[in-house]
Amino acid sequence: MGDYNFKLRLKIALIIVLVSPFFGADPSVSRQGQTKMLGVNRPGIAWVKSDQSWQNTIDDMAGQNVQALRLAMLPPFSHTLDIIQYAKSKGMQVLVIVPLTQNIYYPKDNVSREPSREFPEIRRLSRLDVEMVDKYWSDIFLECEKRKIYIDAIQVGNEINSAQFNGDLPILSSGRIVRAADGIDEQTWSDFKLGMRRVVESTLVIKKAITASDLKVRPKILSGSLVLQDENWISKSGNVTVDPSLALKLMLGYNVGEYVDIYSIHIYPYFKPFMNIDNFQEDVRRQIDGLMLPLLALTNDEKSWWVTEWGISSRVKTKPNVDRKSLYCRYLAALDKSGANSYVSATFIYDWDENPTFDIWDGRRVLNSEDSIFASGSGSNCSISP
């Protein structure tokens, strides 16, 4: 397909999106008092090749009343679709990540950022081939039509403002948060802006592919997730993260608000060692508001937000020490009390049973238990009041 023809199709798709109402139910219905959908993350479940293993994992989730599963669409896509179909058969909603750092979305001569002590080689979003995103996802939707698989939502990109998932950002001897355009060198900033444009263009072509498909149930589109990690970890790891407000402002300038139904964010609170449990909930609320209120001021619309990752590290200790389920419940209570509460309609705990590299986030012992955090139907099985 020629470059000119592709650009023309992109412009036509833009016109269609601007003049057409969003499909399905209004995603902005999350307002004060509404129960939030509570899901879990298992992004790499498609890497589990044994049918019995991944089916057992999903059976465990269903047995705990997990309401939604977030996973990545990884090749071979037929295998990922098998997993989605099985999760749907168990009554779960499915949020699919478009992992934009996968090499299938890049030219063969693409140059990635070199690996470091903390982070593997990662591709540069500025080199993303939007035409390949269009091709692969048009094919995926055709397969969904044939197999009658109905994906509930699609998130285009993961932690796109962090060097961990964006090779346009460097790994330094001491990491930092970029809060203004002049907070990093000119070339890096130029590459980062181009990468954000490519992510938004990918969002548009996926939305266009949905519109052109014969899917009976059309998935909602989520913006690429943004994140703001603990500053101490950022500094020690060398990670460079662009402030979520600055990244979102760029994306809005590229009209992402016209293409998405829901915005997405990751909110991982950070804690001082052995913090007083009496202060835990209020401290989390302040952190949520500190991150979310500036973002809400930028979007200035009625769309919902999904917290597509959050968690409490197993390293967190309090005075007096309490079990992790209690901390999870206090987090949800803090969110209910926050200024962002009326906009957040779903949250996804990280993680169900992550690999050993990230086992400090492993929620298996908390989530898969007799005293489940998941309520039957919707919401959480928590008794802590906001």
Side-chain angles (χ1 to χ4, degrees):
M1 171 186 328
D3 182 62
Y4 172 79
N5 288 336
F6 179 69
K7 289 180 179 177
L8 180 61
R9 291 171 62 210
L10 201 60
K11 289 179 180 178
I12 292 171
L14 171 60
I15 293 170
I16 292 171
V17 171
L18 290 176
V19 300
S20 300
F22 286 123
F23 47 75
D26 179 4
S28 65
V29 293
S30 172
R31 292 299 176 258
Q32 199 72 31
Q34 180 180 329
T35 301
K36 298 175 181 63
M37 180 171 69
L38 182 60
V40 298
N41 276 272
R42 187 60 168 88
I45 193 169
W47 282 320
V48 179
K49 299 306 179 184
S50 164
D51 288 355
Q52 192 63 48
S53 294
W54 63 256
Q55 286 178 0
N56 287 344
T57 297
I58 291 176
D59 288 343
D60 287 344
M61 292 177 182
Q64 293 295 303
N65 300 316
V66 169
Q67 297 142 30
L69 169 63
R70 179 177 179 257
L71 55 78
M73 179 62 75
L74 299 169
F77 298 136
S78 59
H79 177 56
T80 304
L81 289 173
D82 289 341
I83 296 169
I84 293 170
Q85 192 168 41
Y86 190 72
K88 295 288 292 180
S89 75
K90 296 296 180 177
M92 282 182 263
Q93 294 196 43
V94 178
L95 166 59
V96 175
I97 312 161
V98 183
L100 292 176
T101 54
Q102 286 284 300
N103 61 7
I104 59 172
Y105 300 127
Y106 291 83
K108 290 183 179 179
D109 61 352
N110 174 60
V111 178
S112 302
R113 191 191 66 215
E114 293 295 322
S116 68
R117 179 176 56 84
E118 291 282 343
F119 303 106
E121 176 185 14
I122 197 78
R123 286 159 189 86
R124 302 172 185 271
L125 294 179
S126 60
R127 311 287 179 87
L128 186 64
D129 187 340
V130 179
E131 198 169 345
M132 294 306 293
V133 176
D134 184 22
K135 174 190 179 299
Y136 279 109
W137 279 88
S138 293
D139 290 346
I140 288 168
F141 293 139
L142 282 173
E143 188 64 21
C144 286
E145 289 172 27
K146 290 177 185 176
R147 297 177 57 176
K148 294 182 170 55
I149 296 173
Y150 305 121
I151 297 170
D152 297 282
I154 297 172
Q155 180 178 312
V156 189
N158 179 68
E159 296 190 359
I160 57 177
N161 63 317
S162 168
Q164 196 168 5
F165 291 95
N166 185 342
D168 289 322
L169 296 171
I171 301 298
L172 305 176
S173 57
S174 178
R176 64 175 180 268
I177 300 170
V178 178
R179 302 189 187 277
D182 60 1
I184 202 160
D185 68 89
E186 187 175 339
Q187 184 59 55
T188 297
W189 179 246
S190 177
D191 290 343
F192 178 76
K193 287 197 300 179
L194 180 57
M196 293 300 98
R197 179 186 288 275
R198 294 287 178 260
V199 171
V200 174
E201 289 173 350
S202 298
T203 307
L204 173 57
V205 298
I206 289 174
K207 190 171 185 70
K208 180 258 309 182
I210 292 171
T211 303
S213 75
D214 293 324
L215 291 169
K216 289 185 172 57
V217 178
R218 296 185 171 184
K220 302 297 184 188
I221 299 290
L222 274 70
S223 60
S225 58
L226 302 171
V227 68
L228 186 61
Q229 306 99 332
D230 176 4
E231 289 194 50
N232 289 331
W233 177 83
I234 287 176
S235 177
K236 291 177 182 177
S237 67
N239 190 316
V240 171
T241 295
V242 174
D243 185 275
S245 294
L246 186 57
L248 180 60
K249 189 173 181 179
L250 280 177
M251 295 171 72
L252 291 169
Y254 300 136
N255 297 319
V256 72
E258 302 291 343
Y259 314 145
V260 301
D261 304 294
I262 301 164
Y263 298 107
S264 65
I265 188 73
H266 295 174
I267 308 179
Y268 287 98
Y270 47 91
F271 308 101
K272 297 176 181 178
F274 296 101
M275 71 176 301
N276 191 309
I277 190 61
D278 294 336
N279 301 329
F280 184 94
Q281 188 173 315
E282 177 60 17
D283 188 57
V284 173
R285 183 203 62 77
R286 282 196 300 267
Q287 292 184 52
I288 292 172
D289 279 346
L291 176 57
M292 285 299 300
L293 296 185
L295 298 176
L296 292 172
L298 283 173
T299 54
N300 193 31
D301 61 26
E302 293 300 304
K303 291 187 177 73
S304 288
W305 284 76
W306 284 9
V307 181
T308 52
E309 284 187 26
W310 67 274
I312 306 293
S313 164
S314 60
R315 295 175 182 170
V316 172
K317 306 298 180 185
T318 60
K319 295 188 302 185
N321 199 28
V322 298
D323 62 88
R324 280 178 78 196
K325 180 191 172 182
S326 177
L327 298 182
Y328 280 59
C329 287
R330 281 174 164 83
Y331 180 106
L332 292 170
L335 179 58
D336 285 345
K337 196 175 180 182
S338 75
N341 174 52
S342 62
Y343 286 87
V344 176
S345 57
T347 74
F348 291 75
I349 297 170
Y350 193 93
D351 186 85
W352 183 263
D353 57 349
E354 186 53 272
N355 67 57
T357 305
F358 301 104
D359 64 1
I360 63 167
W361 300 106
D362 191 344
R364 179 177 53 239
R365 291 177 295 278
V366 180
L367 304 177
N368 194 4
S369 62
E370 292 183 7
D371 185 23
S372 176
I373 194 173
F374 301 95
S376 178
S378 64
S380 67
N381 183 27
C382 290
S383 59
I384 296 172
S385 59

